[in-house]
């Protein structure tokens, strides 16, 4: 009990450090020009200091290096600080000068390559149901880089409302931390991994009161890229010899940002636009267009993130078939929700249209009539 109390005290000090750092970073952001100015893509109506992620990074770095030297090896801690520092620097430059998407991607790629070749963390094998151990060999490097880049950008893209990315990260880190702690108790993961997760969690919690609606400071790319990167790296710690469940668990936990990112890519591809192009069709934009208030949209997305996290925790207690059925049910419900709010585009609702075809007699007759007319036109053209 004394051991847990000491850890809790140090984690609390981490949160206080982040809380005290945030007002200072706010002043620094204004001085260096890290400010979000209102435009057609922004929700904010007045200029807002950004680069709030610096407070999280400083609190996380000080805590992991100096508050837990007896529990977290220095080599492990310094690699996390350096690799995330590359991403923080990329985000800070973007917050001041606004980089192009490809330029930001280069910074994240450098950090991901550092993790693979210097930090020496990769997904080396995967254990699949009814197949067994599958060695990835040289594929472990591109898979690891893709994992890190994908999750980093997923968190970054969801950062569109006050407290949205930081709140989702708090929910995700709490869940990943619980999963990691359970894994460490069985010896599957070293204790330093869940500890690092909880240190990052407390750093975000210290910053969160200044970021929730109405925000006094934004995360900026400094924070959003950092959170996505560290979540991806820390979640991969237990995946060096991954099972199917441990591989899919972080994807379920981060279901909200991953879904938003995936459908943004699909939407832009269907509309023949570059994947990196910006639009106002993200999840938070769609909820606001449906009449949600700013705070209401954020809280609704928090609830979705909590549902995903609960589902991920259920995976720890289910067998393979139950997990497969649960995943199918989740994907089915998610697709209906996505189509209902128009995340793929208001005119692209294949599943809803299929259900409507089955359950609406008038709609079914209309569709069948149009099909017959189309067949007749095709015959007459021949």
């Amino acid at each position: 009990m004394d051991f847990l109390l000491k850890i809790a005290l140090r984690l609390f000090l981490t949160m206080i450090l982040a809380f005290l750092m945030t007002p200072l970073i706010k002043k620094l952001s204004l001085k260096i020009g890290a400010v979000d100015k209102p435009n057609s893509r922004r929700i904010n109506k007045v200029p807002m200091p950004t680069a709030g992620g610096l407070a999280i990074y400083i609190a996380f770095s000080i805590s992991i290096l100096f508050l837990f030297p007896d529990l977290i090896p220095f080599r492990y801690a310094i690699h996390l600080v350096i690799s995330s520092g590359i991403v923080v620097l990329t985000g800070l430059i973007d917050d001041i000068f606004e980089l192009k998407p490809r330029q930001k991607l280069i910074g994240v790629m450098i950090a991901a390559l550092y993790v693979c070749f210097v930090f020496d963390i990769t997904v080396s094998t995967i254990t699949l149901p009814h197949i067994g151990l599958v060695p990835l060999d040289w594929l472990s490097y591109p898979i690891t880089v893709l994992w890190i880049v994908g999750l980093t950008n997923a968190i970054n893209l969801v950062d569109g409302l006050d407290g949205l990315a930081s709140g989702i990260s708090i929910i995700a880190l709490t869940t990943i931390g619980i999963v990691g702690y359970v894994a460490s108790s069985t010896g599957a993961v070293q204790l330093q991994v869940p500890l690092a997760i909880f240190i990052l969690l407390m750093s975000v919690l210290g910053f969160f009161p200044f970021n929730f609606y109405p925000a006094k400071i934004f995360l900026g790319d400094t924070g959003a890229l950092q959170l996505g990167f560290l979540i991806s790296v820390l979640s991969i710690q237990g995946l060096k010899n991954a099972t199917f469940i441990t591989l899919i668990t972080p994807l379920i936990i981060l279901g909200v940002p991953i879904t938003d990112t995936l459908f943004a890519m699909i939407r832009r591809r269907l509309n023949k636009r570059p994947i990196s192009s910006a639009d106002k069709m993200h999840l938070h934009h769609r909820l606001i267009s449906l009449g949600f208030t700013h705070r209401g949209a954020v809280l609704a997305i928090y609830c979705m993130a909590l549902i995903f996290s609960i589902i991920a925790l259920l995976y720890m207690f289910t067998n393979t078939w139950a997990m497969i059925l649960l995943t199918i049910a989740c994907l089915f419900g998610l697709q209906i929700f996505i189509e209902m709010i128009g995340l793929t585009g208001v005119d692209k609702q294949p599943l809803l249209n299929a259900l409507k075809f089955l359950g609406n007699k008038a709609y079914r007759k209309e569709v069948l009539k149009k099909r017959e007319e189309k067949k007749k036109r095709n015959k007459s053209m021949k």
Side-chain angles (χ1 to χ4, degrees):
M1 186 65 183
D2 187 48
F3 172 72
L4 291 177
L5 188 61
K6 287 180 179 178
I7 290 178
L9 179 60
R10 283 182 270 186
L11 288 173
F12 180 74
L13 288 174
T14 303
M15 183 179 70
I16 295 299
L17 179 59
F19 183 84
L20 295 176
M21 283 298 305
T22 303
L24 300 177
I25 295 301
K26 179 182 176 181
K27 292 179 180 179
L28 177 64
S29 295
L30 293 171
K31 284 187 177 181
I32 64 177
V35 178
D36 257 349
K37 296 178 181 178
N39 59 38
S40 58
R41 286 177 49 208
R42 307 288 185 186
I43 298 294
N44 55 300
K45 303 299 182 185
V46 295
M48 285 288 295
T50 183
L54 274 177
I56 296 172
Y57 177 71
I58 293 170
F60 174 78
S61 300
I62 291 174
S63 180
I64 200 169
L65 286 171
F66 303 112
L67 294 184
F68 293 86
D70 54 328
L71 298 172
I72 300 177
F74 179 78
R75 181 183 178 278
Y76 178 83
I78 197 66
H79 280 318
L80 277 179
V81 171
I82 292 173
S83 58
S84 60
I86 296 169
V87 175
V88 168
L89 180 60
T90 302
L92 182 60
I93 294 171
D94 179 66
D95 287 333
I96 299 172
F97 301 107
E98 196 161 345
L99 298 174
K100 294 178 181 178
R102 287 183 182 179
Q103 293 172 320
K104 285 192 286 185
L105 181 61
I106 290 172
V108 178
M109 285 284 289
I110 292 171
L113 292 172
Y114 181 98
V115 169
C116 289
F117 295 102
V118 182
F119 202 173
D120 193 28
I121 292 176
T122 58
V123 181
S124 53
T125 63
I126 296 178
T127 304
L128 297 176
H130 309 298
I131 296 177
L133 192 70
V134 179
L136 296 176
D137 299 324
W138 65 270
L139 283 173
S140 63
Y141 295 104
I143 288 173
T144 302
V145 170
L146 183 63
W147 176 278
I148 292 172
V149 171
L151 292 191
T152 300
N153 282 291
I155 295 292
N156 189 41
L157 286 175
V158 83
D159 184 30
L161 297 178
D162 296 3
L164 185 54
S166 54
I168 287 176
S169 296
I170 287 169
I171 295 167
L173 286 166
T174 302
T175 311
I176 295 171
I178 292 170
V179 173
Y181 180 75
V182 172
S184 70
S185 65
T186 63
V189 174
Q190 292 180 308
L191 182 61
Q192 64 202 36
V193 178
L195 265 180
I197 293 169
F198 285 122
I199 290 169
L200 180 59
L201 169 63
M202 300 310 286
S203 301
V204 181
L205 279 171
F207 168 80
F208 186 70
F210 300 93
N211 188 230
F212 189 66
Y213 183 82
K216 298 176 180 65
I217 183 171
F218 288 164
L219 266 177
D221 276 19
T222 308
L225 289 176
Q226 172 195 183
L227 289 177
F229 175 80
L230 281 172
I231 287 172
S232 68
V233 173
L234 291 169
S235 66
I236 215 173
Q237 298 288 294
L239 305 181
K240 288 180 74 68
N241 298 294
T243 63
F244 182 72
I245 293 177
T246 58
L247 186 64
I248 200 173
T249 297
L251 298 178
I252 298 296
I253 293 170
L254 293 168
V256 170
I258 288 173
T259 300
D260 198 20
T261 302
L262 178 62
F263 279 92
M265 294 169 64
I266 293 171
R267 181 175 64 248
R268 289 162 189 170
R269 180 61 65 185
L270 290 173
N271 293 324
K272 298 179 180 180
R273 295 178 57 191
I275 289 177
S276 60
S277 64
D279 60 28
K280 297 194 73 171
M281 289 288 289
H282 287 287
L283 176 59
H284 52 278
H285 291 128
R286 292 303 306 156
L287 290 177
I288 287 177
S289 72
L290 291 173
F292 281 69
T293 62
H294 191 124
R295 187 191 295 265
V298 171
L299 293 175
I301 297 174
Y302 285 174
C303 289
M304 291 176 61
L306 275 171
I307 291 169
F308 276 113
S309 291
I310 291 169
I311 291 169
L313 290 174
L314 288 175
Y315 275 24
M316 298 170 63
F317 308 102
T318 57
N319 59 34
T320 303
W321 284 109
M323 183 186 68
I324 291 171
L325 292 172
L326 182 60
T327 303
I328 292 171
C330 291
L331 291 174
F332 185 82
L334 181 62
Q335 179 65 25
I336 290 178
F337 174 77
I338 285 165
E339 292 183 15
M340 287 179 68
I341 66 171
L343 198 61
T344 52
V346 292
D347 58 337
K348 297 177 178 67
Q349 301 172 322
L351 186 55
L352 278 177
N353 287 336
L355 292 173
K356 192 176 178 182
F357 183 85
L358 292 172
N360 188 320
K361 188 175 180 180
Y363 177 77
R364 185 164 59 248
K365 285 183 177 180
E366 182 184 346
V367 171
L368 293 173
K369 183 179 178 181
K370 286 181 180 179
R371 287 179 182 174
E372 287 297 322
E373 290 174 352
K374 187 177 180 180
K375 284 181 182 179
K376 288 178 181 179
R377 283 198 303 270
N378 289 338
K379 286 181 180 180
S380 63
M381 289 175 66
K382 291 179 180 179

